[in-house]
């Protein structure tokens, strides 16, 4: 007599999480680092493709976070470098703030300050080959000629400072809307045609930094984390918007080092580059004094898993 066969149980549906945010360098970096700790979950970057996700991680895009929450999707909202515009947090199941321990700041009610959201540690290459420039102007309007001219002057100063030590400029990561990039490069000067430009969507900065001797960047918390992971000096550029001004103020207040405006007429390239080492020494000491807590990405990922186990 043959034994009855049992039909195989269908595999449980795989949990699906939306990972999305503003198309800016800092937002993309935060989402990339958080995603690296969610490898067992199906991740999608398309808000309107397929069935509704089981949960979402949204970085800086408060409009998307509010829309998803209103449709019943539990959201972990992450602010990449400070409170959202106007200090108004969107409705979401969990709110997280990327704020390293070495920076001052008041705690916000109902908001998790997760510490440093950073890339994995990476040793500096034995033979550093040159500098990487990272210019962030994610909201640059090509029709705003004054803003384009200012960003162009900053990019020109950054390229001059990067080449000061005689080594090549390895790459320029340009965090600007695609329609504004040609206007920005044109405003930076004719010699920028030879700049090795990489769009922020290609996420090449961390690979470039493995061979860098200097990072010249807009004032971003991501830049501090990248420089610390790659163990390279950091030269901060002047702020191009209010968000960057807030980050720059926080960095200078925490370190006590005045950041030179590399785009100012009286700041030479050598003076700007010489300022990178004392700034970086102070930031490194502040990082170590704070216990160098770089587990922010893991903390955000844990919040996502908790939402999946017990939806909002």
């Amino acid at each position: 007599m043959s034994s009855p066969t049992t039909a195989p149980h269908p595999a449980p549906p795989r949990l699906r999480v939306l990972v999305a945010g503003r198309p800016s360098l800092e937002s993309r970096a935060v989402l990339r680092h958080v995603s690296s700790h969610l490898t067992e979950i199906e991740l999608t970057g398309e808000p309107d493709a397929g069935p509704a996700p089981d949960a979402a991680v949204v970085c800086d895009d408060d409009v998307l976070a509010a829309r998803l929450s209103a449709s019943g999707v539990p959201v972990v909202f992450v602010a990449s470098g400070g409170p959202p515009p106007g200090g108004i947090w969107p409705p979401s199941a969990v709110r997280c703030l990327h704020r390293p321990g070495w920076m001052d700041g008041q705690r916000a009610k109902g908001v998790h300050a997760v510490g440093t959201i950073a890339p994995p540690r990476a040793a500096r290459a034995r033979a550093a080959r040159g500098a990487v420039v990272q210019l962030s102007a994610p909201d640059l309007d090509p029709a705003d000629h004054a803003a384009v001219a200012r960003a162009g002057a900053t990019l020109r100063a950054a390229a001059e400072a990067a080449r000061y030590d005689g080594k090549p400029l390895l790459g320029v990561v340009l965090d600007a809307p695609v329609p504004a990039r040609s206007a920005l490069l044109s405003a930076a000067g004719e010699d920028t045609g030879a700049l090795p430009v990489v769009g922020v969507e290609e996420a090449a900065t961390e690979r470039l930094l493995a061979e860098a001797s200097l990072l010249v960047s807009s004032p971003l918390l991501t830049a501090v984390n990248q420089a610390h992971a790659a163990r390279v000096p950091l030269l901060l550029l002047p702020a191009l918007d209010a968000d960057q001004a807030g980050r720059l103020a926080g960095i200078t207040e925490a370190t006590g080092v005045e950041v030179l405006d590399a785009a100012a007429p009286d700041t030479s390239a050598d003076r700007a580059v010489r300022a990178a080492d004392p700034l970086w020494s102070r930031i490194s000491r502040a990082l170590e004094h704070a216990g160098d807590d770089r587990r922010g990405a893991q903390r955000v990922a844990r919040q996502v898993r908790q939402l999946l186990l017990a939806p909002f």
Side-chain angles (χ1 to χ4, degrees):
M1 182 177 175
S2 59
S3 58
T5 57
T6 14
H9 292 291
R14 198 176 182 200
L15 294 172
R16 186 167 170 269
V17 171
L18 170 69
V19 179
R22 291 189 69 216
S24 65
L25 191 151
E26 283 207 295
S27 298
R28 287 174 184 269
V30 165
L31 293 173
R32 191 163 60 248
H33 303 325
V34 171
S35 297
S36 69
H37 298 281
L38 294 171
T39 52
E40 79 283 11
I41 296 170
E42 180 184 347
L43 303 179
T44 176
E46 300 296 329
D48 301 311
D54 298 290
V57 184
V58 178
C59 187
D60 295 325
D61 191 337
D62 51 347
V63 174
L64 175 61
R67 177 162 68 86
L68 289 167
S69 294
S71 68
V73 176
V75 174
V76 175
F77 179 80
V78 187
S80 67
I88 300 173
W89 291 81
S92 56
V94 180
R95 302 176 183 92
C96 296
L97 172 64
H98 174 205
R99 191 179 71 206
W102 55 271
M103 292 189 73
D104 295 328
Q106 293 183 342
R107 295 186 65 87
K109 187 177 179 181
V111 175
H112 302 269
V114 297
T116 300
I117 298 177
R121 291 187 180 278
R124 182 176 172 180
R126 291 182 184 175
R129 296 197 301 117
V132 173
V133 168
Q134 190 167 256
L135 185 77
S136 181
D139 300 316
L140 188 63
D141 180 357
D144 187 340
H145 302 298
V148 169
R150 185 171 175 230
T154 301
L155 178 56
R156 183 169 59 250
E160 290 173 359
R163 293 193 181 104
Y164 170 71
D165 62 0
K167 292 181 181 177
L169 177 55
L170 299 183
V172 176
V173 179
L174 205 53
D175 181 14
V178 174
R181 290 178 190 173
S182 57
L184 174 55
L185 291 170
S186 175
E190 295 179 5
D191 59 338
T192 57
L195 285 180
V197 175
V198 177
V200 66
E201 63 277 2
E202 298 174 54
T205 306
E206 286 157 34
R207 294 196 302 271
L208 289 170
L209 279 172
E211 297 182 330
S213 56
L214 174 70
L215 174 60
V216 184
S217 176
S218 295
L220 308 171
L221 293 184
T222 294
V224 176
N225 299 335
Q226 289 168 327
H228 191 239
R231 302 176 189 173
V232 295
L234 173 67
L235 169 62
L236 291 178
L237 295 168
L240 291 176
D241 57 36
D243 287 343
Q244 291 182 18
R247 287 164 176 72
L248 185 58
I251 292 169
T252 54
E253 183 178 348
T255 59
V257 174
E258 180 183 357
V259 177
L260 292 176
D261 185 343
D266 60 344
T267 303
S268 61
D270 71 315
R271 198 169 158 243
V273 172
R274 279 189 281 112
D277 282 319
L279 170 65
W280 183 236
S281 296
R282 293 285 186 92
I283 290 177
S284 295
R285 284 199 293 272
L287 284 163
E288 299 304 329
H289 180 71
D292 190 20
D293 181 3
R294 304 169 67 80
R295 293 173 292 177
Q298 292 97 314
R299 291 191 177 102
V300 176
R302 190 181 307 128
Q303 295 287 353
V304 175
R305 292 193 189 92
Q306 288 175 352
L307 273 189
L308 292 172
L309 291 171
F312 178 66

